[in-house]
Amino acid sequence: MAEEVKFFGFWVSPFSRRVDIALKLKGVDFKYHEEVLSDKSTSLIKYNPIHKKVPVLVHDEKPLAESLVIVEYIDETWQNCPILPKDPYERAHARFWARFIDEK
């Protein structure tokens, strides 16, 4: 059985775009579900019941929320074409700047 990857996003969300780019860089086959944020799908609420927001990645029926968490999961799961640096110090710097951008 082939693995199933679903991605719930919103076309204008920079957080959704971050996940979309990571999936495409890694060459991961996925099914995209565009969400209407004023009328959220039952699937989105099922997979992200706490925040009820995008992005959400579902890999073999195991959901993940929050774009940075998802990108790190993608990078660790599909190891071709690394997104984050291999060096722990450089990887920590990349995470710092990603969080800084999100918060500021």
Side-chain angles (χ1 to χ4, degrees):
M1 181 172 115
E3 64 186 0
E4 181 181 23
V5 179
K6 295 183 250 182
F7 167 43
F8 294 80
F10 181 55
W11 70 274
V12 75
S13 163
F15 305 107
S16 292
R17 294 290 51 92
R18 176 185 286 162
V19 173
D20 184 57
I21 290 167
L23 288 166
K24 289 177 179 172
L25 279 172
K26 294 289 193 164
V28 177
D29 289 328
F30 64 96
K31 178 152 173 86
Y32 178 71
H33 300 271
E34 177 72 17
E35 285 294 323
V36 177
L37 300 183
S38 61
D39 185 24
K40 297 172 183 169
S41 72
T42 55
S43 293
L44 176 65
I45 294 168
K46 170 187 169 187
Y47 291 126
N48 191 358
I50 295 174
H51 297 296
K52 300 178 178 88
K53 63 180 184 175
V54 295
V56 173
L57 181 80
V58 182
H59 182 207
D60 289 333
E61 285 306 305
K62 295 179 280 187
L64 289 169
E66 301 298 323
S67 64
L68 288 177
V69 171
I70 295 169
V71 169
E72 288 179 13
Y73 175 82
I74 290 168
D75 203 27
E76 292 170 3
T77 302
W78 293 278
Q79 296 190 1
N80 61 312
C81 191
I83 295 170
L84 291 171
K86 291 292 181 198
D87 177 70
Y89 181 77
E90 294 298 321
R91 194 167 49 246
H93 267 255
R95 288 179 174 139
F96 168 84
W97 286 112
R99 287 187 184 105
F100 179 84
I101 291 166
D102 282 355
E103 294 169 4
K104 304 297 178 192

